Amino acid sequence: MGTTLLLGLDIGTGSTKCVVADTRGHIVHVATRSHGTSMPRPGWFEADAENLWWAETVSLCADAVAAVGADNVAGVCVSGLGPALVLTDDQLRPVRPAIFYGIDTRAEGQIAELNERIGEDEILRVCGKLLSTQALGPKLLWVRQNEPEVWAKARHWFGTNAFIAAKLTGAVALDRHTASQCDPMYDLRKQDWSRWAAEIAGHLALPHLVWPTDEVGRVMADASTLTGLRQGTPVVAGTVDAWAEGFSAGVRSPGDLMLMYGSTLFFVQVLSDVRTHPMLWTTAGIEPGSITAAAGMSTAGSLLNWVQEITGHASFDKLVAEAARVPPGSDGLVMLPYLAGERTPVFDAQARGVLAGISLQHTRGHLFRAAYEGIAFGIRQIVDLFEVLEAPERIVAVGGGTQGGLWTQIVSDVTGREQLVPAQTIGASYGDALMAAIGTGHVPPDTNWATDFEVVSPDPGRRARYDQLYDLYRDLYPATTPVVHELAAMQIADADLLDL
């Protein structure tokens, strides 16, 4: 008899990762496919769900099966960037590129329309948060109003993980966590579709709702042929990648707060009950009946990549070493990291980056450290919001940005808070494997694979300087908003001219 193995697959902004683990959480196989995204206009972020996400799923599953054997894979679970919008025809073929989560800002007009129609207070009461670019409902409405030919062809709508699950099983289902980010279409307290959902979805049926650890179906014959997975292999629903990553790191009890250091910066805190804050997103969690609050910054690792590109493509190790030699505060250089607009706490799609205090003495190392510190100041603003909602008791840092140590140390120094970095930092795909193990009944629901952590403690000697700079950072956005809004309008107008 073979070993019982679980396959987790995560479709991220910059790559798709596959992990195979046994029921004790020991990893036996890992593989990754890197990919890019499409930005057809400023503020629009898209991807080809069929030829990118599904093709990489097929390839990674085939590699995993070749490595571990199809008969040993007892369950599959997929997570993905989200909330994303995938529209398909009745054969599950996408009718347009998938639209991304909050970094895609195209639906501002639809947000305003829904706020006017329903009322912001009512949306906050029912959905647990105000509408922002993170919400999926306005993006459905955007396609309906702006691409009527596409809308007419569409028959189903999915999140990233739900689309892959449908391609594997034929099931049209959506996990409740993802649904709770489809505002204003999900009633958080009733844990069901809201009274506005059917009106927004129009002729598109509302997917069947499940919890992320529920089985949604079994691998079909056609999908088995493509992926190598055994026909009939159970597929567990999965959810949005940030929540899957938090699950992998043991962020499961009230008071646990996850900081996910990735292309963007994302926060998830487990709550003791339904609580709302106008600048945070209250959502369903992963485990049945659970509630979380979330926030997101639009740039993090993507900002560091940008600095790397414009300063000569030095290796990250070299850039980190140069930044480490720069004193705290970057010799009076402060960066507002809003290069792709910003989500929490300003919710401003027309926000833009600002570099304040730059002089001829500043080097590439200063710029790289200022990017780290600008992100850290943004983290401090957001952690303070969580403190108002329900005090975080434990902060767990996950994601590729935790490697190397300098970034996490700067964040602890700026915030004055301790962070725990799990020894196993492989990410959301590891959480998917755990969800697959739970959903197929191979481990108990309270199983936790995250047990060992490194502690990052703040240096109190740096607090005074960072407090001084934090005050300047908070002043920077309101002081520059009129200027950057005018510049953003120019950028959008120039892009419109190029389209003509």
Side-chain angles (χ1 to χ4, degrees):
M1 184 175 179
T3 304
T4 299
L5 301 175
L6 296 311
L7 189 152
L9 191 81
D10 176 60
I11 300 169
T13 304
S15 67
T16 300
K17 179 174 284 187
C18 177
V19 167
V20 180
D22 65 20
T23 55
R24 296 171 296 172
H26 297 152
I27 294 171
V28 300
H29 175 80
V30 177
T32 302
R33 300 285 188 274
S34 296
H35 56 240
T37 61
S38 172
M39 191 177 174
R41 293 185 59 179
W44 291 22
F45 289 83
E46 301 180 343
D48 187 329
E50 180 77 21
N51 295 309
L52 193 71
W53 295 348
W54 174 237
E56 290 182 348
T57 296
V58 168
S59 174
L60 286 166
C61 286
D63 286 355
V65 166
V68 306
D71 290 340
N72 293 324
V73 178
V76 177
C77 180
V78 181
S79 63
L81 60 92
L85 175 60
V86 183
L87 289 165
T88 76
D89 62 17
D90 56 5
Q91 300 299 308
L92 302 180
R93 295 174 300 213
V95 296
R96 72 166 330 281
I99 299 175
F100 277 26
Y101 51 97
I103 60 173
D104 186 285
T105 59
R106 74 184 69 197
E108 288 182 279
Q110 288 69 33
I111 290 172
E113 176 185 335
L114 290 167
N115 280 335
E116 178 68 22
R117 187 193 313 173
I118 300 169
E120 292 185 59
D121 290 344
E122 184 67 359
I123 291 171
L124 179 62
R125 185 187 70 80
V126 173
C127 304
K129 49 201 161 304
L130 297 175
L131 292 182
S132 70
T133 60
Q134 186 74 0
L136 187 139
K139 292 172 185 176
L140 266 174
L141 198 58
W142 183 91
V143 177
R144 186 174 179 177
Q145 294 175 350
N146 290 276
E147 298 178 346
E149 320 83 21
V150 170
W151 186 257
K153 296 175 185 175
R155 291 296 178 269
H156 302 294
W157 62 278
F158 300 95
T160 308
N161 59 298
F163 170 68
I164 300 300
K167 297 286 279 188
L168 290 170
T169 69
V172 179
L174 191 66
D175 69 277
R176 280 185 168 83
H177 166 70
T178 301
S180 71
Q181 293 206 54
C182 296
D183 305 305
M185 301 173 71
Y186 187 83
D187 189 315
L188 192 60
R189 289 173 175 81
K190 292 181 180 178
Q191 296 182 349
D192 203 350
W193 295 114
S194 74
R195 61 183 181 273
W196 311 295
E199 179 185 353
I200 293 170
H203 71 278
L204 305 181
L206 298 174
H208 172 63
L209 290 171
V210 296
W211 286 100
T213 54
D214 288 342
E215 181 183 318
V216 293
R218 302 291 178 105
V219 173
M220 301 182 297
D222 288 351
S224 174
T225 299
L226 290 171
T227 62
L229 293 166
R230 177 176 48 82
Q231 184 177 347
T233 302
V235 177
V236 171
T239 192
V240 171
D241 53 3
W243 276 257
E245 184 142 10
F247 196 71
S248 79
V251 177
R252 298 172 65 174
S253 300
D256 286 350
L257 172 62
M258 178 199 74
L259 303 187
M260 187 174 78
Y261 294 73
S263 298
T264 64
L265 206 299
F266 209 80
F267 308 69
V268 176
Q269 180 172 333
V270 183
L271 302 179
S272 56
D273 55 25
V274 177
R275 301 176 184 214
T276 62
H277 188 293
M279 291 186 179
L280 298 173
W281 307 313
T282 303
T283 72
I286 285 184
E287 296 170 274
S290 61
I291 298 293
T292 62
M297 297 172 64
S298 292
T299 61
S302 56
L303 172 59
L304 302 174
N305 290 335
W306 174 80
V307 174
Q308 181 188 37
E309 290 172 6
I310 68 166
T311 58
H313 296 275
S315 70
F316 261 85
D317 287 345
K318 184 173 180 59
L319 290 170
V320 170
E322 291 177 6
R325 291 193 291 269
V326 173
S330 301
D331 287 322
L333 188 62
V334 178
M335 180 182 291
L336 197 63
Y338 297 169
L339 275 70
E342 187 54 293
R343 296 184 284 177
T344 320
V346 299
F347 300 104
D348 183 357
Q350 269 67 59
R352 293 294 183 268
V354 176
L355 193 59
I358 193 166
S359 70
L360 293 175
Q361 72 168 322
H362 289 117
T363 66
R364 178 175 65 183
H366 287 89
L367 187 60
F368 201 73
R369 187 178 185 104
Y372 272 153
E373 291 175 340
I375 297 164
F377 291 136
I379 291 171
R380 180 170 169 177
Q381 277 188 302
I382 295 168
V383 172
D384 286 348
L385 295 177
F386 281 104
E387 187 76 38
V388 173
L389 188 67
E390 183 171 332
E393 297 177 5
R394 191 175 73 127
I395 298 178
V396 180
V398 301
T402 61
Q403 305 303 303
L406 181 60
W407 193 359
T408 50
Q409 185 62 57
I410 288 173
V411 169
S412 281
D413 291 344
V414 167
T415 63
R417 295 172 184 265
E418 180 182 275
Q419 297 175 85
L420 303 178
V421 181
Q424 181 54 264
T425 59
I426 201 161
S429 53
Y430 191 56
D432 298 329
L434 177 55
M435 280 189 271
I438 292 170
T440 56
H442 286 94
V443 301
D446 61 353
T447 299
N448 184 2
W449 288 344
T451 54
D452 297 325
F453 297 88
E454 174 193 347
V455 179
V456 182
S457 299
D459 183 339
R462 298 170 180 168
R463 187 60 190 261
R465 171 51 60 91
Y466 278 136
D467 283 350
Q468 178 186 17
L469 290 168
Y470 178 57
D471 289 339
L472 295 174
Y473 174 90
R474 288 190 300 174
D475 291 340
L476 199 53
Y477 171 71
T480 59
T481 297
V483 174
V484 299
H485 278 187
E486 187 168 346
L487 294 172
M490 290 181 185
Q491 294 165 9
I492 293 168
D494 289 347
D496 287 340
L497 286 174
L498 289 174
D499 286 342
L500 295 178

